[in-house]
Amino acid sequence: MFLSSPTSAVKHTYPGGRALICEAFRKKEVPDCAIDTMVESISASTMRQYETTYRQWWNFCSERSLSPYQAPSIIEFLQRVFEGNNLQYGSMNSHRSALALINLQPLSNDARLSRFMKGISRLRSSKPRYNSTWDPNVVLEYLQKLGPNFTLTLKDLSANLVTLLALATGHRLQTIQLIKLSNIHTSAQGIQIPITGPVKTSGSNRSQPCLQIPRFAENPLLCVATTLIDYIEATKPLQTPNQDYLFITFKEPYKTATKQSISRWIKNTLLTAGLDTNGFKPHSFRHASTSAAYRHGLSLSNTLSSPGS
């Protein structure tokens, strides 16, 4: 699949990002026994992101008979990507990071590349995803009109719970998708859910998130704890013996719901509540919830330290 010399040109079919990274590690004299361990340091989402870069880079090197591991034309490639796409600095920096991982020469010391990236930052600086936000009360009023949980279909109950969790916790959908039944601890005061799976912010010296969900007796229709318990009861007959994740699909065969499925549930909730889903995506829940908390008196320091800030 790969050529032996690091300066050899690309003459084969694109092997895939993981194979490209593994070969780069071999060329950097990483022992074969340690390569898989090193690749595991790259998250699945980052690997998918880098895949786009590597496919374009492979084709670029193939057209010019260059080695993908030691090509002198990285700036030319980045300029081509920059001119052909309306990418902001963050996306261009992701391309740079992907190439730095497989290049045999360290790119961090390349003054030309540093100067080029500084130019990108001036021309297309990163912008906030949202310049405005939506009022969570619009969604809460819609959910309240749906009525008691026992009258809802499993589809509506699933969307209801995911939406309330996103608003109440301010956590990413990835975190919500990782909730396990075995980690749900209830008490008279509320529910505590430690997240044991790796999330975007996971690190060797970082604490894992723990969802704290108080009871909201004043309005049971909007009580996250009540809705969570009702969802567990509704899905208990559908759970398989080895099923531990909280959220499952609402159609047979009942499987663990993916982050993409949960994202669709929330997007549909926004749409049916009357919000513009072209302007606001599921990610906007984090922005909306923390912004609302700040408007209602939560201190700035607490708001900035919340998971949705």
Side-chain angles (χ1 to χ4, degrees):
M1 177 63 71
F2 297 98
L3 303 182
S4 58
S5 172
T7 57
S8 298
V10 170
K11 294 182 181 179
H12 298 283
T13 304
Y14 174 65
R18 184 183 179 91
L20 201 63
I21 293 170
C22 288
E23 182 65 11
F25 285 158
R26 289 190 186 95
K27 293 181 182 297
K28 294 179 181 181
E29 300 183 349
V30 173
D32 284 346
C33 62
I35 288 178
D36 286 342
T37 301
M38 291 185 66
V39 172
E40 284 302 312
S41 69
I42 307 167
S43 69
S45 59
T46 299
M47 188 69 79
R48 288 193 297 270
Q49 192 173 350
Y50 284 2
E51 186 72 31
T52 301
T53 304
Y54 291 144
R55 185 175 294 278
Q56 294 181 44
W57 174 241
W58 185 273
N59 293 336
F60 177 87
C61 292
S62 181
E63 292 169 4
R64 290 160 175 75
S65 297
L66 299 171
S67 164
Y69 308 105
Q70 205 167 22
S73 307
I74 287 179
I75 293 178
E76 181 185 349
F77 168 76
L78 292 174
Q79 181 65 29
R80 176 173 163 177
V81 172
F82 179 69
E83 292 175 350
N85 303 273
N86 187 28
L87 300 180
Q88 302 299 319
Y89 173 80
S91 297
M92 292 299 300
N93 195 44
S94 175
H95 282 299
R96 182 204 61 77
S97 297
L99 296 180
L101 187 62
I102 65 171
N103 199 271
L104 299 187
Q105 300 298 324
L107 299 184
S108 58
N109 298 326
D110 191 322
R112 298 168 303 166
L113 183 57
S114 297
R115 181 63 59 181
F116 174 81
M117 293 304 299
K118 185 173 182 179
I120 295 292
S121 69
R122 292 280 180 85
L123 291 170
R124 292 184 192 163
S125 58
S126 297
K127 298 177 181 178
R129 182 174 299 207
Y130 303 108
N131 294 318
S132 61
T133 189
W134 46 270
D135 186 356
N137 284 326
V138 174
V139 175
L140 294 176
E141 288 173 3
Y142 163 74
L143 295 179
Q144 192 165 227
K145 290 177 182 177
L146 293 178
N149 293 328
F150 66 85
T151 66
L152 302 180
T153 65
L154 181 56
K155 177 180 178 180
D156 288 336
L157 180 57
S158 301
N160 194 343
L161 176 57
V162 168
T163 301
L164 288 174
L165 279 169
L167 282 173
T169 67
H171 275 276
R172 295 179 174 86
L173 298 188
Q174 176 200 34
T175 303
I176 294 174
Q177 189 270 334
L178 290 173
I179 294 176
K180 290 185 176 182
L181 292 167
S182 58
N183 289 337
I184 297 175
H185 307 292
T186 61
S187 68
Q189 291 71 38
I191 297 176
Q192 185 180 71
I193 312 174
I195 304 299
T196 54
V199 297
K200 186 175 182 179
T201 55
S202 293
S204 56
N205 295 316
R206 295 178 180 176
S207 299
Q208 282 288 107
C210 183
L211 309 186
Q212 303 286 347
I213 304 172
R215 297 185 184 275
F216 185 40
E218 293 85 350
N219 191 341
L221 294 179
L222 298 180
C223 177
V224 188
T226 299
T227 305
L228 176 59
I229 293 171
D230 289 344
Y231 179 84
I232 293 174
E233 288 299 315
T235 57
K236 187 179 294 183
L238 310 177
Q239 297 275 1
T240 58
N242 60 345
Q243 172 63 255
D244 193 29
Y245 285 99
L246 170 65
F247 288 105
I248 60 174
T249 56
F250 43 78
K251 291 182 180 180
E252 293 187 72
Y254 303 105
K255 301 180 295 184
T256 299
T258 64
K259 188 181 74 172
Q260 290 73 25
S261 294
I262 291 175
S263 178
R264 285 195 300 272
W265 300 351
I266 283 191
K267 184 177 180 180
N268 288 335
T269 301
L270 287 175
L271 183 63
T272 52
L275 294 172
D276 178 17
T277 54
N278 291 320
F280 295 115
K281 305 299 181 183
H283 184 275
S284 67
F285 267 77
R286 300 175 63 226
H287 186 192
S289 62
T290 51
S291 296
Y294 177 65
R295 289 196 304 271
H296 285 81
L298 187 66
S299 69
L300 181 60
S301 60
N302 287 337
T303 301
L304 291 177
S305 64
S306 72
S309 58

